[in-house]
Amino acid sequence: MELLREQGIVDLAVLRAFDLTPRHLFVPSGIRHRAYEDNALPIGNGQTISQPSTHARYLELLKLTGTERVLEIGTGSGYQTVLVSHLAEQVFSIERVAPLLESARVAIRAAGARNVSLLAGDGTLGWREYAPYDAILVTAGSPDVPEPLLRQLAEGGRLLAPLGERDAQVLTLVIRRGDALERRAIAPARFVPLIGRHGWSAE
Ligand code: SAH
């Protein structure tokens, strides 16, 4: 937690979410001793669990108050999913790599989160059944915001996504104001590619 304060994270609700979420549950057992470093770590299937300070910055930008319905694209380890579960009313999370989703499901249950729904599939299509969402987090890099996600964003809703090239992006905040979308570039970012119909091709 001190680490995050040193990184300039000041939102108390966000810091509390980190206190409530044991990161070691989301890291493969062989590297569990490294779970509390401020580093990204491999979680298998060529994917990574992001650096905690990256999650913290994301969560501060979403300004969640506890009443929101949140859609996450890229469950990965499920760590961020659980962080969000402490900051919002309900979290819906989609992961395209089925074995990752199954490990995430186990870890999320072990962490005690109950307000989380998981879906295996292409998150670039969103999850229409529960739309609109007050916040949408895309945790993989995309050429642009997938169109279905923009349609599923509520009025005043905030969407965060790393946008740009396959290997380098700019973290971008999109806020819906009626039919208009306000876009704000936040910071350079480097995420694994978002692979799907409205993202990158699998190669
Ligand atoms: N927040 C996660 C980060 C995982 S990395 C964590 O901290 O663990 C990004 C994840 O996005 C990877 O697991 C990858 O498989 C997934 N992903 C990539 N494209 C996707 C898509 N179209 N739909 C859903 N998940 C996708």
Side-chain angles (χ1 to χ4, degrees):
M1 226 37 45
E2 275 318 304
L3 263 171
L4 292 178
R5 284 212 183 81
E6 282 164 24
Q7 295 285 328
I9 303 304
V10 294
D11 186 321
L12 289 179
V14 169
L15 290 169
R16 177 177 166 273
F18 278 89
D19 271 336
L20 293 172
T21 311
R23 190 169 184 248
H24 66 266
L25 293 178
F26 302 90
V27 167
S29 48
I31 51 171
R32 207 149 271 174
H33 60 287
R34 298 184 55 197
Y36 295 96
E37 292 172 10
D38 190 22
N39 282 318
L41 294 170
I43 55 173
N45 295 89
Q47 307 302 329
T48 52
I49 178 170
S50 307
Q51 199 174 344
S53 53
T54 303
H55 288 303
R57 203 150 296 133
Y58 248 72
L59 296 173
E60 277 201 327
L61 287 162
L62 288 179
K63 298 187 187 303
L64 298 170
T65 63
T67 60
E68 294 83 0
R69 203 178 348 200
V70 179
L71 177 66
E72 177 187 54
I73 312 303
T75 315
S77 65
Y79 177 58
Q80 174 168 268
T81 318
V82 173
L83 291 172
V84 175
S85 80
H86 292 300
L87 293 162
E89 182 158 300
Q90 185 73 33
V91 189
F92 300 87
S93 186
I94 309 175
E95 170 59 54
R96 66 179 280 276
V97 181
L100 273 184
L101 189 70
E102 290 324 306
S103 329
R105 194 186 296 283
V106 171
I108 290 168
R109 195 175 302 137
R114 296 277 172 273
N115 54 344
V116 171
S117 307
L118 300 173
L119 178 69
D122 178 5
T124 69
L125 302 170
W127 195 340
R128 265 182 42 201
E129 197 177 348
Y130 302 102
Y133 301 97
D134 305 299
I136 300 180
L137 293 94
V138 183
T139 73
S142 181
D144 203 346
V145 185
E147 187 59 39
L149 299 185
L150 291 176
R151 281 199 297 274
Q152 294 174 25
L153 187 61
E155 171 59 27
R158 300 163 84 82
L159 177 150
L160 260 177
L163 303 180
E165 303 308 315
R166 206 170 166 122
D167 53 1
Q169 309 92 29
V170 175
L171 181 60
T172 308
L173 177 64
V174 179
I175 305 176
R176 172 175 294 290
R177 310 229 184 263
D179 285 336
L181 295 163
E182 182 187 314
R183 273 177 184 245
R184 210 180 297 163
I186 305 292
R190 190 176 286 261
F191 284 75
V192 299
L194 182 74
I195 294 167
R197 171 116 172 257
H198 301 266
W200 298 103
S201 64
E203 281 171 317

